[in-house]
């Protein structure tokens, strides 16, 4: 099917199929000889080509079952030559469309780079939440279920493709060792930062997706696919019912989603494997970066020293100089412990030979590192109990202030933003943080939900029913904004909150 990509005329064959592909995007399924020549110029084929060469190329593509030829009986021809030029019309076969799509996909993969995108995980969670809300409705919404399911499968395909491609590039980066050290160091440091950013809050996103998968599965996956099939409105062009094959494809895609986040067979989710791969890559990259840094720190290496010594041997002209260089480089030097003396020097004569005198004890540190022990007073251990107590007290105070701010903001039910009135600056900052998280989330039926990082505080934000403006007063100034309907729930310490009220 891909024989057109090789040979002397491969460029012409690819250009012809590209011309048909451009025509199909404009809903032109059949092209004549003149139309093909005009399309060739539009796709970048600027070489002159006569009718015989173009017809020969089209004939070869027809022999490979990539192009189909039909006769145009609906056209009026004035002359025989016009009939010969305009009678035959060419169009792509299914195999031709698949072959050209394969070439485009290969070029796209070669020119693109994989990525680990947390936005794709958030999009998958949002689409699953939308499906759960749509399934809660007994009637209607089949078209929305179909479009939402297609978006979910598109995000899953993007996650799988980007993850596979990024993992391949990551493994090639781990094996690469021939690049320039400075560039190599920068690329690996940037990759470590990228992986660390991706792993941040990955567990929380995975838990959200798993929870929403189980929510949708609680309504029944078959019901979901059946309602999506009703919303798809598939045509029956070939006379056969496309529904069973479409449902089987949807079921396979759903199983792929579960294999990534919530498998039913007891296997580990693939997202956990991705987590492990990313952590191992970070450790490996950090080790490589340490080795690169250590090699930069050393002024020279043993290999460089021996190469320099070999160069000296090649430039010395006289034999005596070579022997002198050998003796200097590889001769035995004085012992490092020659300066040590006997514990009682009066018992050993200064004129006695070293072979006749008793041995001198040499420390293990001197033999291993070339340094002698230096005995001094043990350093005083710093007492950090007071510092630890102060820091613990500070941490308790900060935690108490934070819990007090959350309990103060707990509305106990729906409340307009203007109902807060006057707030302390610390509580106002917490309120702004919750508002920012809610406004950054995707709305579901006009309602936005968000939680803090530890999951102990949840905010539900609904749009105002009127154009009222809320005014909040703080010790540092005045805040104005839309008068949203807010519901803040602070989980935990409910008995303290009731007592305070």
């Amino acid at each position: 099917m891909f024989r057109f990509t090789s040979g002397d005329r491969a460029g012409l064959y690819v250009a012809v199929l590209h011309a048909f592909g451009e025509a199909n995007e404009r809903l032109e399924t059949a092209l004549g000889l003149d139309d093909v020549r005009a399309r060739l110029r539009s796709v970048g084929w600027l070489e002159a080509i006569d009718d015989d060469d173009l017809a020969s190329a089209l004939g070869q593509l027809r022999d490979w079952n990539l192009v189909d030829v039909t006769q145009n009986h609906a056209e009026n021809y004035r002359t025989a030559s016009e009939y010969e030029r305009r009678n035959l019309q060419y169009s792509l076969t299914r195999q031709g469309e698949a072959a050209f799509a394969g070439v485009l996909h290969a070029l796209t993969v070669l020119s693109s780079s994989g990525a680990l995108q947390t936005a794709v995980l958030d999009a998958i969670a949002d689409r699953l939440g939308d499906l759960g809300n749509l399934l809660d409705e007994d009637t209607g919404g089949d078209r929305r279920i179909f479009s939402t399911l297609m978006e979910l499968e598109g995000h899953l395909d993007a996650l799988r493709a980007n993850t596979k491609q990024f993992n391949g590039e990551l493994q090639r980066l781990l094996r690469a060792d021939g690049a320039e050290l400075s560039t190599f160091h920068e690329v690996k440091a940037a990759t470590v930062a990228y992986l660390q950013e991706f792993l941040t809050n990955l567990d929380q996103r995975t838990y959200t997706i798993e929870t929403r998968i189980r929510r949708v599965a609680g309504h029944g996956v078959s019901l979901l696919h059946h309602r999506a099939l009703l919303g798809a409105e598939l045509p029956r062009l070939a006379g056969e019912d496309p529904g069973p094959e479409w449902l089987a494809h949807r079921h396979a895609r759903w199983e792929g989603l579960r294999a990534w986040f919530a498998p039913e067979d007891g296997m580990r989710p693939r997202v956990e494997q991705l987590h492990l791969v990313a952590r191992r890559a970070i450790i490996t990259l950090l080790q490589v970066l340490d080795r690169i840094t250590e090699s930069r720190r050393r002024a020279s290496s043993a290999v460089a020293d021996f190469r320099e010594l070999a160069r000296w041997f090649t430039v010395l002209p006289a034999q005596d100089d070579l022997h002198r260089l050998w003796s200097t480089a590889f001769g035995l030097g004085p012992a490092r412990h020659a300066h040590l003396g006997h514990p009682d020097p009066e018992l050993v004569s200064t004129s006695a030979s070293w072979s006749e005198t008793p041995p001198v004890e040499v420390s293990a540190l001197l033999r291993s590192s070339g340094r002698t022990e230096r005995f001094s007073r043990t350093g005083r251990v710093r007492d950090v109990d007071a510092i630890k107590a102060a820091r613990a007290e500070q941490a308790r105070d900060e935690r108490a202030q934070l819990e007090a701010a959350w309990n103060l903001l707990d509305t106990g039910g729906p409340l307009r933003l203007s109902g807060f009135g006057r707030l302390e600056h610390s509580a106002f900052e917490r309120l702004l943080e919750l508002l920012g998280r809610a406004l950054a989330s995707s709305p579901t039926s006009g309602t936005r939900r968000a939680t803090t990082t530890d999951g102990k505080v949840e905010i539900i934000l609904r749009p105002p029913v009127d154009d009222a403006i809320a005014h909040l007063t703080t010790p540092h100034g005045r805040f104005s904004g839309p008068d949203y309907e807010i519901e803040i729930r602070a989980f935990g310490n409910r008995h303290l909150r009731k007592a305070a009220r």
Side-chain angles (χ1 to χ4, degrees), residues 132-348:
N133 295 332
L134 291 172
L135 289 175
D136 291 338
E137 303 175 2
D138 296 334
T139 59
D142 294 339
R143 292 184 177 181
R144 292 184 59 191
I145 289 180
F146 165 73
S147 60
T148 306
L149 183 60
M150 292 299 101
E151 292 180 9
L152 174 62
E153 293 182 357
H155 293 312
L156 179 62
D157 290 340
L159 173 65
R160 295 170 58 185
N162 285 332
T163 300
K164 290 189 296 184
Q165 192 167 1
F166 181 82
N167 186 42
E169 295 176 357
L170 180 61
Q171 300 307 318
R172 285 189 290 272
L173 177 63
L174 295 178
R175 296 190 298 267
D177 54 0
E180 199 271 327
L181 285 182
S182 60
T183 304
F184 199 58
H185 188 278
E186 293 177 0
V187 170
K188 293 206 172 189
T191 305
V192 169
Y194 183 81
L195 289 173
Q196 290 175 341
E197 182 179 359
F198 173 75
L199 292 178
T200 303
N201 296 330
L202 179 60
D203 294 337
Q204 181 180 356
R205 291 186 172 93
T206 302
Y207 176 75
T208 302
I209 294 176
E210 180 183 358
T211 303
R212 295 183 180 181
I213 287 177
R214 301 191 187 281
R215 176 190 175 190
V216 173
H219 291 279
V221 180
S222 58
L223 174 63
L224 168 68
H225 292 161
H226 178 70
R227 294 187 61 180
L229 178 61
L230 296 178
E233 300 177 354
L234 300 178
R236 297 187 179 184
L237 297 179
E240 299 180 357
D241 185 10
E245 182 178 0
W246 191 88
L247 289 176
H249 191 61
R250 300 283 78 74
H251 179 73
R253 290 295 188 88
W254 182 262
E255 292 300 322
L257 177 64
R258 299 210 65 153
W260 266 92
F261 299 100
E264 295 180 326
D265 52 1
M267 299 294 292
R268 299 182 62 181
R270 294 179 185 174
V271 69
E272 291 187 7
Q273 300 176 8
L274 175 61
H275 191 276
L276 295 177
V277 168
R279 289 181 62 87
R280 285 198 299 266
I282 290 176
I283 296 174
T284 304
L285 289 173
L286 289 177
Q287 292 175 349
V288 174
L289 290 176
D290 290 339
R291 288 196 296 268
I292 293 176
T293 305
E294 192 65 24
S295 64
R296 288 180 174 181
R297 191 175 300 167
R298 293 196 301 267
S300 62
S301 62
V303 176
D305 294 340
F306 278 113
R307 286 178 179 174
E308 182 66 19
L309 181 60
R311 189 182 66 82
W312 289 353
F313 273 105
T314 59
V315 298
L316 291 179
Q319 192 74 12
D320 296 338
D321 296 333
L322 292 174
H323 286 292
R324 190 180 305 111
L325 178 60
W326 173 269
S327 301
T328 304
F330 301 104
L332 294 177
R336 291 176 299 180
H337 61 274
H339 65 282
L340 298 178
H342 197 275
D344 192 356
E346 296 181 355
L347 300 178
V348 180

Side-chain angles (χ1 to χ4, degrees), residues 437-458:
R437 289 178 178 270
L439 293 175
S441 63
S442 300
T444 302
S445 301
T447 302
R448 301 176 183 265
R449 294 175 178 266
T451 58
T452 56
T453 305
D454 55 4
K456 293 185 177 181
V457 180
E458 181 186 22

